[in-house]
Amino acid sequence: MAHTDRQGKYLLDYLPSGNYRIAPESFYFESTPAERNYAPLNNFEPGADFTLKPRRGALLLRYHEGWNLIAIPLLPDEDALQQLLPDAVPPAYAWDPDSGYVRRWQVEGLRSYWVKFIRRDSIQIAGTLVRDITVPFTAGQTGWNLFAGPSGPCPVTEIVQAPPAILLSAYAYDPYYGYLPPVDGMIEAGKGYFVKIVAPGNLFLRAHEHVTSSPARTLLRFPGAGRLTDE
């Protein structure tokens, strides 16, 4: 097995003589051709090229009753809020650095929104999957911004920052507990985030290939601790 670099190049080195089948695998892309066969493989094969195009799929979006900070986790087939998310109470709210929160009745893929839902549930959203995204920030966008990742999980520590250290902090929103750091340090598909940017630049995110739907979590609320006083 070999992994491509960001230019799509790969190298399979020191293979013993024999017959080989080379087949790309990706959650986000489909390959043309699906595989190439070599019987036998030459001592030096100058290139085994494949053309990849984004794969279509469906991702699960979970939401709670009330206000949620969500992200549309792919490029959806439908952009009308009520068609895409039937339980949503329109409008959705996006963030504009010049105007603040702005109302939206259509939503874009890979963007973050505040959306109010009438019940707790989940829904499958169909569209085109996206593995790599570059998120630009101008000088006017320094400070807090709404933020969304690609169609799969990406650790915060793997976000490439150009210039370095422009991302100061990131927070998710939980309807029960409020603002929290990203769970397990991951930017997750379908969740919106607040990020603080300290300088103009770009954030590059590449989603991990192994994508699984996170299980529904039951959040427990504990009673507040009482205050001890001396009698």
Side-chain angles (χ1 to χ4, degrees):
M1 179 179 292
H3 294 277
T4 62
D5 62 17
R6 287 184 178 164
Q7 286 72 47
K9 296 180 180 179
Y10 67 96
L11 176 66
L12 293 166
D13 214 355
Y14 303 109
L15 297 177
S17 299
N19 301 335
Y20 285 89
R21 177 179 67 91
I22 302 177
E25 292 185 0
S26 174
F27 177 79
Y28 305 97
F29 298 98
E30 57 186 27
S31 173
T32 303
E35 61 182 49
R36 293 187 183 277
N37 292 278
Y38 298 88
L41 182 70
N42 294 331
N43 288 336
F44 176 73
E45 185 65 44
D49 296 335
F50 299 85
T51 300
L52 304 183
K53 70 176 183 179
R55 187 187 301 277
R56 289 185 46 79
L59 295 177
L60 185 68
L61 177 67
R62 301 184 187 276
Y63 48 86
H64 294 270
E65 181 181 357
W67 287 102
N68 292 249
L69 183 55
I70 67 163
I72 307 303
L74 38 61
L75 303 179
D77 296 334
E78 174 63 60
D79 65 356
L81 177 64
Q82 287 190 289
Q83 294 295 323
L84 186 66
L85 303 171
D87 285 341
V89 179
Y93 288 85
W95 175 256
D96 182 273
D98 297 321
S99 307
Y101 286 111
V102 291
R103 294 182 288 180
R104 294 285 186 261
W105 282 264
Q106 282 79 35
V107 291
E108 301 177 29
L110 310 177
R111 293 286 301 274
S112 184
Y113 299 91
W114 283 107
V115 181
K116 189 175 184 179
F117 291 94
I118 61 174
R119 62 172 62 89
R120 177 181 178 178
D121 208 337
S122 62
I123 191 170
Q124 292 275 354
I125 299 179
T128 302
L129 302 173
V130 178
R131 185 189 65 176
D132 302 323
I133 63 171
T134 299
V135 185
F137 294 94
T138 65
Q141 292 175 296
T142 55
W144 289 101
N145 292 266
L146 288 185
F147 178 79
S151 299
C154 176
V156 175
T157 56
E158 293 183 11
I159 297 176
V160 178
Q161 307 176 45
I166 65 170
L167 174 60
L168 183 63
S169 56
Y171 287 92
Y173 176 76
D174 184 275
Y176 295 98
Y177 296 110
Y179 296 101
L180 299 169
V183 176
D184 300 326
M186 302 289 287
I187 299 297
E188 299 180 51
K191 291 188 177 181
Y193 297 87
F194 277 105
V195 294
K196 190 169 188 180
I197 302 298
V198 297
N202 296 297
L203 300 181
F204 176 84
L205 291 83
R206 167 162 290 181
H208 282 195
E209 279 290 340
H210 300 290
V211 178
T212 57
S213 296
S214 60
R217 299 186 179 188
T218 301
L219 299 176
L220 303 178
R221 303 184 100 178
F222 296 93
R227 184 166 59 93
L228 297 178
T229 58
D230 293 331
E231 293 295 338

